[in-house]
Amino acid sequence: MLMSFSLDPSMISTLGGTFYPSGYSMVMFPDEATAVSVGEELSTQLEDSEVYLLTPAAILSQITPTVSDADDPLPSAGTEGATVRVYTKLAREGHHGLLVKTPDAETAQRMMEVVRRGPYSVAQRYRTLVIEDL
């Protein structure tokens, strides 16, 4: 079952305050139907899954604002801000997202086997200190 997304404080980096949901993967799709279909399949395929549906409005209202202070007082050394800006651009174009709990490489690989069956815009896995392109 897909869950509604609500930004949790644990999904914010302590350095810079940017969206950084360690242990999760963010995947964006060109349309809602694809996101819902993939999300429902992942909910049944992945054990102990947490699969959140992110509408463009949720991305723009909850995730986008996390970059406002990311480069203050100094530019971020990481890619968190740039990654959120990609999500923001896609959300403004109507893309929907899924935030999927992927605590290990095996789970991320199983998730991508489902995701790759159709069109997706971007897929990122958040690990401690690393944002991995999937």
Side-chain angles (χ1 to χ4, degrees):
M1 181 178 98
L2 284 176
M3 298 186 281
S4 293
F5 177 77
S6 181
L7 186 64
D8 183 282
S10 69
M11 296 176 180
I12 303 291
S13 73
T14 54
L15 186 62
T18 307
F19 180 69
Y20 198 97
S22 192
Y24 288 82
S25 293
M26 176 79 160
V27 185
M28 293 194 67
F29 301 89
D31 59 80
E32 181 180 17
T34 303
V36 169
S37 174
V38 170
E40 288 175 348
E41 185 171 350
L42 290 172
S43 293
T44 61
Q45 297 267 338
L46 302 178
E47 292 179 25
D48 300 322
S49 66
E50 288 180 28
V51 182
Y52 298 93
L53 178 65
L54 289 92
T55 63
I59 293 166
L60 295 172
S61 68
Q62 297 182 54
I63 295 175
T64 298
T66 68
V67 296
S68 62
D69 295 326
D71 294 329
D72 184 31
L74 298 171
S76 171
T79 61
E80 304 89 27
T83 302
V84 170
R85 288 192 258 299
V86 168
Y87 301 155
T88 298
K89 178 185 179 298
L90 292 170
R92 287 186 176 135
E93 295 171 1
H95 294 237
H96 286 64
L98 294 176
L99 187 65
V100 182
K101 186 173 184 176
T102 50
D104 53 52
E106 179 185 332
T107 304
Q109 182 177 344
R110 289 181 27 228
M111 175 196 75
M112 287 307 295
E113 287 171 3
V114 174
V115 169
R116 285 188 182 109
R117 293 182 197 153
Y120 68 97
S121 314
V122 67
Q124 304 279 321
R125 179 174 170 224
Y126 288 83
R127 298 175 14 215
T128 304
L129 303 177
V130 176
I131 300 175
E132 173 185 1
D133 289 324
L134 296 175

Short mmCIF file of all heavy atoms in Angstrom, two decimals, residues 24-77:
data_model
loop_
_atom_site.label_atom_id
_atom_site.label_comp_id
_atom_site.label_asym_id
_atom_site.label_seq_id
_atom_site.Cartn_x
_atom_site.Cartn_y
_atom_site.Cartn_z
N TYR A 24 16.95 5.61 2.09
CA TYR A 24 15.83 5.63 1.16
C TYR A 24 16.33 5.92 -0.25
O TYR A 24 17.43 6.44 -0.43
CB TYR A 24 14.80 6.72 1.53
CG TYR A 24 14.00 6.42 2.76
CD1 TYR A 24 14.52 6.67 4.02
CD2 TYR A 24 12.73 5.86 2.67
CE1 TYR A 24 13.78 6.39 5.17
CE2 TYR A 24 11.98 5.57 3.81
CZ TYR A 24 12.52 5.85 5.05
OH TYR A 24 11.78 5.57 6.18
N SER A 25 15.50 5.62 -1.22
CA SER A 25 15.76 6.01 -2.60
C SER A 25 14.59 6.86 -3.08
O SER A 25 13.44 6.61 -2.72
CB SER A 25 15.88 4.77 -3.51
OG SER A 25 17.03 4.04 -3.19
N MET A 26 14.91 7.86 -3.89
CA MET A 26 13.91 8.74 -4.48
C MET A 26 13.91 8.47 -5.98
O MET A 26 14.96 8.51 -6.63
CB MET A 26 14.28 10.20 -4.20
CG MET A 26 13.36 11.19 -4.85
SD MET A 26 11.84 11.38 -3.92
CE MET A 26 11.33 12.97 -4.55
N VAL A 27 12.73 8.14 -6.50
CA VAL A 27 12.57 7.88 -7.93
C VAL A 27 11.45 8.77 -8.43
O VAL A 27 10.40 8.85 -7.81
CB VAL A 27 12.23 6.39 -8.20
CG1 VAL A 27 12.19 6.12 -9.69
CG2 VAL A 27 13.20 5.46 -7.50
N MET A 28 11.69 9.43 -9.56
CA MET A 28 10.65 10.29 -10.13
C MET A 28 10.23 9.77 -11.49
O MET A 28 11.03 9.21 -12.24
CB MET A 28 11.13 11.74 -10.19
CG MET A 28 11.30 12.30 -8.78
SD MET A 28 11.48 14.08 -8.70
CE MET A 28 9.87 14.64 -9.24
N PHE A 29 8.93 9.98 -11.76
CA PHE A 29 8.29 9.47 -12.98
C PHE A 29 7.58 10.60 -13.69
O PHE A 29 7.08 11.53 -13.06
CB PHE A 29 7.28 8.38 -12.61
CG PHE A 29 7.88 7.22 -11.88
CD1 PHE A 29 7.98 7.23 -10.49
CD2 PHE A 29 8.36 6.12 -12.57
CE1 PHE A 29 8.56 6.17 -9.81
CE2 PHE A 29 8.94 5.05 -11.90
CZ PHE A 29 9.03 5.08 -10.51
N PRO A 30 7.47 10.50 -15.02
CA PRO A 30 6.84 11.57 -15.80
C PRO A 30 5.36 11.79 -15.50
O PRO A 30 4.83 12.86 -15.78
CB PRO A 30 7.02 11.13 -17.26
CG PRO A 30 8.01 10.05 -17.26
CD PRO A 30 8.02 9.46 -15.89
N ASP A 31 4.68 10.78 -14.95
CA ASP A 31 3.25 10.94 -14.71
C ASP A 31 2.82 10.18 -13.46
O ASP A 31 3.52 9.29 -12.97
CB ASP A 31 2.43 10.47 -15.93
CG ASP A 31 2.70 9.00 -16.25
OD1 ASP A 31 2.12 8.14 -15.56
OD2 ASP A 31 3.51 8.73 -17.16
N GLU A 32 1.66 10.55 -12.96
CA GLU A 32 1.13 9.97 -11.73
C GLU A 32 0.81 8.49 -11.89
O GLU A 32 1.09 7.68 -11.00
CB GLU A 32 -0.14 10.72 -11.30
CG GLU A 32 -0.74 10.19 -10.01
CD GLU A 32 -1.98 10.94 -9.59
OE1 GLU A 32 -2.57 11.67 -10.41
OE2 GLU A 32 -2.36 10.79 -8.41
N ALA A 33 0.22 8.10 -13.03
CA ALA A 33 -0.19 6.71 -13.22
C ALA A 33 1.00 5.76 -13.11
O ALA A 33 0.91 4.71 -12.46
CB ALA A 33 -0.88 6.54 -14.57
N THR A 34 2.13 6.12 -13.71
CA THR A 34 3.32 5.27 -13.64
C THR A 34 3.84 5.19 -12.21
O THR A 34 4.17 4.11 -11.71
CB THR A 34 4.43 5.79 -14.58
OG1 THR A 34 3.91 5.86 -15.91
CG2 THR A 34 5.64 4.89 -14.56
N ALA A 35 3.89 6.34 -11.53
CA ALA A 35 4.36 6.35 -10.14
C ALA A 35 3.49 5.48 -9.25
O ALA A 35 4.00 4.69 -8.45
CB ALA A 35 4.40 7.79 -9.61
N VAL A 36 2.18 5.58 -9.40
CA VAL A 36 1.27 4.78 -8.58
C VAL A 36 1.41 3.30 -8.90
O VAL A 36 1.50 2.46 -8.00
CB VAL A 36 -0.20 5.25 -8.78
CG1 VAL A 36 -1.18 4.28 -8.16
CG2 VAL A 36 -0.37 6.65 -8.19
N SER A 37 1.47 2.96 -10.18
CA SER A 37 1.60 1.56 -10.58
C SER A 37 2.89 0.94 -10.04
O SER A 37 2.87 -0.15 -9.44
CB SER A 37 1.57 1.47 -12.11
OG SER A 37 1.84 0.16 -12.54
N VAL A 38 4.01 1.62 -10.23
CA VAL A 38 5.30 1.12 -9.73
C VAL A 38 5.28 1.07 -8.21
O VAL A 38 5.73 0.10 -7.60
CB VAL A 38 6.47 1.99 -10.25
CG1 VAL A 38 7.77 1.62 -9.56
CG2 VAL A 38 6.61 1.84 -11.76
N GLY A 39 4.74 2.08 -7.58
CA GLY A 39 4.69 2.13 -6.12
C GLY A 39 3.88 0.99 -5.53
O GLY A 39 4.28 0.37 -4.54
N GLU A 40 2.75 0.68 -6.16
CA GLU A 40 1.93 -0.43 -5.66
C GLU A 40 2.66 -1.76 -5.83
O GLU A 40 2.62 -2.61 -4.94
CB GLU A 40 0.57 -0.44 -6.36
CG GLU A 40 -0.31 0.70 -5.91
CD GLU A 40 -1.62 0.80 -6.67
OE1 GLU A 40 -1.78 0.14 -7.73
OE2 GLU A 40 -2.48 1.57 -6.22
N GLU A 41 3.35 -1.94 -6.95
CA GLU A 41 4.11 -3.17 -7.15
C GLU A 41 5.24 -3.28 -6.14
O GLU A 41 5.47 -4.35 -5.56
CB GLU A 41 4.65 -3.25 -8.58
CG GLU A 41 5.33 -4.58 -8.84
CD GLU A 41 5.70 -4.82 -10.29
OE1 GLU A 41 5.27 -4.05 -11.17
OE2 GLU A 41 6.42 -5.80 -10.54
N LEU A 42 5.95 -2.18 -5.90
CA LEU A 42 7.03 -2.21 -4.91
C LEU A 42 6.51 -2.52 -3.51
O LEU A 42 7.17 -3.22 -2.74
CB LEU A 42 7.78 -0.88 -4.91
CG LEU A 42 8.64 -0.59 -6.14
CD1 LEU A 42 9.18 0.83 -6.09
CD2 LEU A 42 9.78 -1.60 -6.25
N SER A 43 5.33 -2.01 -3.20
CA SER A 43 4.74 -2.27 -1.88
C SER A 43 4.52 -3.75 -1.63
O SER A 43 4.60 -4.22 -0.50
CB SER A 43 3.41 -1.52 -1.73
OG SER A 43 3.63 -0.14 -1.71
N THR A 44 4.23 -4.49 -2.70
CA THR A 44 4.01 -5.93 -2.54
C THR A 44 5.29 -6.74 -2.72
O THR A 44 5.43 -7.81 -2.13
CB THR A 44 2.94 -6.44 -3.54
OG1 THR A 44 3.39 -6.21 -4.86
CG2 THR A 44 1.60 -5.76 -3.30
N GLN A 45 6.25 -6.24 -3.50
CA GLN A 45 7.47 -6.98 -3.81
C GLN A 45 8.53 -6.88 -2.72
O GLN A 45 9.31 -7.82 -2.53
CB GLN A 45 8.09 -6.47 -5.11
CG GLN A 45 7.23 -6.67 -6.32
CD GLN A 45 7.54 -7.95 -7.05
OE1 GLN A 45 8.61 -8.49 -6.91
NE2 GLN A 45 6.58 -8.43 -7.80
N LEU A 46 8.63 -5.73 -2.06
CA LEU A 46 9.69 -5.51 -1.08
C LEU A 46 9.18 -5.78 0.33
O LEU A 46 8.20 -5.18 0.76
CB LEU A 46 10.22 -4.08 -1.17
CG LEU A 46 10.79 -3.64 -2.51
CD1 LEU A 46 11.22 -2.18 -2.45
CD2 LEU A 46 11.94 -4.53 -2.94
N GLU A 47 9.87 -6.67 1.05
CA GLU A 47 9.49 -6.97 2.43
C GLU A 47 9.72 -5.74 3.29
O GLU A 47 10.68 -5.01 3.10
CB GLU A 47 10.32 -8.14 2.96
CG GLU A 47 10.00 -9.47 2.29
CD GLU A 47 10.87 -10.58 2.85
OE1 GLU A 47 11.34 -10.47 3.98
OE2 GLU A 47 11.07 -11.55 2.12
N ASP A 48 8.83 -5.56 4.27
CA ASP A 48 8.95 -4.43 5.20
C ASP A 48 9.11 -3.11 4.45
O ASP A 48 9.87 -2.23 4.86
CB ASP A 48 10.12 -4.62 6.17
CG ASP A 48 9.97 -5.88 7.01
OD1 ASP A 48 8.83 -6.18 7.41
OD2 ASP A 48 10.98 -6.55 7.25
N SER A 49 8.42 -3.00 3.34
CA SER A 49 8.59 -1.82 2.50
C SER A 49 7.92 -0.60 3.11
O SER A 49 6.92 -0.68 3.80
CB SER A 49 8.04 -2.07 1.10
OG SER A 49 6.64 -2.24 1.16
N GLU A 50 8.53 0.52 2.84
CA GLU A 50 7.92 1.82 3.07
C GLU A 50 8.00 2.50 1.71
O GLU A 50 9.09 2.75 1.20
CB GLU A 50 8.70 2.64 4.09
CG GLU A 50 8.58 2.17 5.52
CD GLU A 50 9.40 3.04 6.48
OE1 GLU A 50 9.62 4.24 6.19
OE2 GLU A 50 9.82 2.50 7.51
N VAL A 51 6.85 2.72 1.11
CA VAL A 51 6.81 3.36 -0.20
C VAL A 51 5.86 4.55 -0.10
O VAL A 51 4.67 4.38 0.16
CB VAL A 51 6.34 2.37 -1.30
CG1 VAL A 51 6.35 3.06 -2.67
CG2 VAL A 51 7.21 1.13 -1.32
N TYR A 52 6.43 5.74 -0.28
CA TYR A 52 5.66 6.97 -0.19
C TYR A 52 5.47 7.56 -1.57
O TYR A 52 6.41 7.65 -2.35
CB TYR A 52 6.40 8.01 0.67
CG TYR A 52 6.64 7.58 2.09
CD1 TYR A 52 7.81 6.94 2.45
CD2 TYR A 52 5.68 7.81 3.08
CE1 TYR A 52 8.04 6.54 3.76
CE2 TYR A 52 5.90 7.41 4.39
CZ TYR A 52 7.09 6.78 4.71
OH TYR A 52 7.30 6.38 6.02
N LEU A 53 4.24 8.00 -1.86
CA LEU A 53 3.94 8.70 -3.10
C LEU A 53 4.11 10.19 -2.87
O LEU A 53 3.55 10.74 -1.91
CB LEU A 53 2.51 8.40 -3.57
CG LEU A 53 2.07 9.12 -4.83
CD1 LEU A 53 2.88 8.67 -6.04
CD2 LEU A 53 0.58 8.91 -5.07
N LEU A 54 4.89 10.83 -3.72
CA LEU A 54 5.09 12.27 -3.63
C LEU A 54 4.48 12.95 -4.84
O LEU A 54 4.92 12.72 -5.97
CB LEU A 54 6.58 12.61 -3.56
CG LEU A 54 7.27 12.25 -2.26
CD1 LEU A 54 7.86 10.87 -2.33
CD2 LEU A 54 8.33 13.26 -1.95
N THR A 55 3.48 13.75 -4.61
CA THR A 55 2.88 14.53 -5.68
C THR A 55 3.78 15.73 -5.97
O THR A 55 4.62 16.10 -5.13
CB THR A 55 1.49 15.05 -5.27
OG1 THR A 55 1.66 15.93 -4.14
CG2 THR A 55 0.54 13.91 -4.92
N PRO A 56 3.62 16.35 -7.13
CA PRO A 56 4.40 17.57 -7.38
C PRO A 56 4.19 18.62 -6.28
O PRO A 56 5.15 19.27 -5.85
CB PRO A 56 3.87 18.06 -8.73
CG PRO A 56 3.41 16.81 -9.42
CD PRO A 56 2.83 15.96 -8.32
N ALA A 57 2.96 18.77 -5.81
CA ALA A 57 2.68 19.75 -4.76
C ALA A 57 3.44 19.42 -3.47
O ALA A 57 3.97 20.33 -2.81
CB ALA A 57 1.17 19.81 -4.47
N ALA A 58 3.53 18.14 -3.12
CA ALA A 58 4.27 17.74 -1.91
C ALA A 58 5.76 18.02 -2.06
O ALA A 58 6.41 18.50 -1.12
CB ALA A 58 4.04 16.27 -1.60
N ILE A 59 6.29 17.75 -3.23
CA ILE A 59 7.72 18.01 -3.47
C ILE A 59 7.99 19.51 -3.35
O ILE A 59 8.93 19.93 -2.67
CB ILE A 59 8.14 17.48 -4.86
CG1 ILE A 59 8.06 15.94 -4.87
CG2 ILE A 59 9.55 17.96 -5.23
CD1 ILE A 59 8.12 15.32 -6.25
N LEU A 60 7.15 20.30 -4.00
CA LEU A 60 7.37 21.76 -4.01
C LEU A 60 7.14 22.40 -2.65
O LEU A 60 7.83 23.35 -2.29
CB LEU A 60 6.47 22.41 -5.07
CG LEU A 60 6.80 22.01 -6.51
CD1 LEU A 60 5.74 22.54 -7.47
CD2 LEU A 60 8.18 22.48 -6.91
N SER A 61 6.22 21.86 -1.86
CA SER A 61 5.92 22.49 -0.57
C SER A 61 6.77 21.95 0.58
O SER A 61 7.00 22.66 1.56
CB SER A 61 4.44 22.33 -0.23
OG SER A 61 4.13 20.96 0.02
N GLN A 62 7.25 20.70 0.48
CA GLN A 62 7.97 20.11 1.60
C GLN A 62 9.47 19.91 1.34
O GLN A 62 10.28 20.08 2.25
CB GLN A 62 7.34 18.77 1.98
CG GLN A 62 5.90 18.91 2.47
CD GLN A 62 5.32 17.58 2.89
OE1 GLN A 62 5.89 16.89 3.72
NE2 GLN A 62 4.19 17.22 2.30
N ILE A 63 9.84 19.51 0.13
CA ILE A 63 11.24 19.20 -0.15
C ILE A 63 11.99 20.41 -0.70
O ILE A 63 13.10 20.72 -0.27
CB ILE A 63 11.34 17.99 -1.10
CG1 ILE A 63 10.78 16.75 -0.38
CG2 ILE A 63 12.78 17.76 -1.55
CD1 ILE A 63 10.69 15.51 -1.24
N THR A 64 11.39 21.11 -1.64
CA THR A 64 12.05 22.28 -2.25
C THR A 64 12.52 23.29 -1.21
O THR A 64 13.66 23.76 -1.31
CB THR A 64 11.11 22.95 -3.28
OG1 THR A 64 10.85 22.00 -4.32
CG2 THR A 64 11.74 24.19 -3.87
N PRO A 65 11.72 23.63 -0.20
CA PRO A 65 12.17 24.64 0.77
C PRO A 65 13.42 24.24 1.57
O PRO A 65 14.06 25.11 2.16
CB PRO A 65 10.97 24.80 1.71
CG PRO A 65 9.80 24.37 0.91
CD PRO A 65 10.32 23.28 0.02
N THR A 66 13.80 22.96 1.56
CA THR A 66 14.97 22.55 2.33
C THR A 66 16.28 23.06 1.73
O THR A 66 17.31 23.01 2.40
CB THR A 66 15.06 21.02 2.51
OG1 THR A 66 15.33 20.39 1.26
CG2 THR A 66 13.79 20.45 3.13
N VAL A 67 16.27 23.54 0.50
CA VAL A 67 17.50 24.05 -0.11
C VAL A 67 17.69 25.54 0.12
O VAL A 67 18.75 26.07 -0.18
CB VAL A 67 17.61 23.76 -1.63
CG1 VAL A 67 17.68 22.29 -1.90
CG2 VAL A 67 16.55 24.44 -2.40
N SER A 68 16.71 26.21 0.67
CA SER A 68 16.81 27.67 0.80
C SER A 68 18.03 28.11 1.60
O SER A 68 18.65 29.11 1.28
CB SER A 68 15.53 28.24 1.42
OG SER A 68 15.37 27.71 2.73
N ASP A 69 18.39 27.36 2.64
CA ASP A 69 19.53 27.74 3.46
C ASP A 69 20.74 26.83 3.25
O ASP A 69 21.74 26.95 3.95
CB ASP A 69 19.15 27.70 4.95
CG ASP A 69 18.09 28.74 5.28
OD1 ASP A 69 18.11 29.81 4.66
OD2 ASP A 69 17.26 28.47 6.16
N ALA A 70 20.67 25.94 2.28
CA ALA A 70 21.73 24.95 2.09
C ALA A 70 23.07 25.59 1.72
O ALA A 70 24.12 25.06 2.06
CB ALA A 70 21.34 23.95 1.02
N ASP A 71 23.04 26.72 1.04
CA ASP A 71 24.28 27.36 0.62
C ASP A 71 24.63 28.57 1.49
O ASP A 71 25.43 29.41 1.11
CB ASP A 71 24.18 27.79 -0.85
CG ASP A 71 24.07 26.58 -1.77
OD1 ASP A 71 24.64 25.53 -1.44
OD2 ASP A 71 23.42 26.70 -2.82
N ASP A 72 24.04 28.64 2.67
CA ASP A 72 24.29 29.76 3.57
C ASP A 72 24.92 29.24 4.86
O ASP A 72 24.38 28.32 5.45
CB ASP A 72 22.95 30.46 3.87
CG ASP A 72 23.12 31.70 4.71
OD1 ASP A 72 24.17 32.35 4.59
OD2 ASP A 72 22.19 32.01 5.47
N PRO A 73 26.04 29.72 5.30
CA PRO A 73 26.76 30.89 4.81
C PRO A 73 27.74 30.57 3.67
O PRO A 73 28.22 31.46 3.00
CB PRO A 73 27.53 31.37 6.03
CG PRO A 73 27.82 30.11 6.79
CD PRO A 73 26.61 29.22 6.54
N LEU A 74 28.06 29.30 3.47
CA LEU A 74 29.00 28.91 2.42
C LEU A 74 28.33 27.93 1.48
O LEU A 74 27.45 27.18 1.88
CB LEU A 74 30.24 28.23 3.04
CG LEU A 74 31.08 29.08 3.99
CD1 LEU A 74 32.12 28.22 4.67
CD2 LEU A 74 31.74 30.21 3.23
N PRO A 75 28.76 27.87 0.22
CA PRO A 75 28.19 26.88 -0.70
C PRO A 75 28.38 25.47 -0.17
O PRO A 75 29.39 25.15 0.44
CB PRO A 75 28.99 27.09 -1.99
CG PRO A 75 29.52 28.48 -1.90
CD PRO A 75 29.75 28.73 -0.42
N SER A 76 27.40 24.63 -0.39
CA SER A 76 27.45 23.24 0.05
C SER A 76 28.56 22.49 -0.67
O SER A 76 28.74 22.64 -1.87
CB SER A 76 26.10 22.57 -0.22
OG SER A 76 26.18 21.19 0.01
N ALA A 77 29.27 21.66 0.09
CA ALA A 77 30.32 20.84 -0.52
C ALA A 77 29.72 19.62 -1.20
O ALA A 77 30.34 19.00 -2.04
CB ALA A 77 31.32 20.41 0.55
#
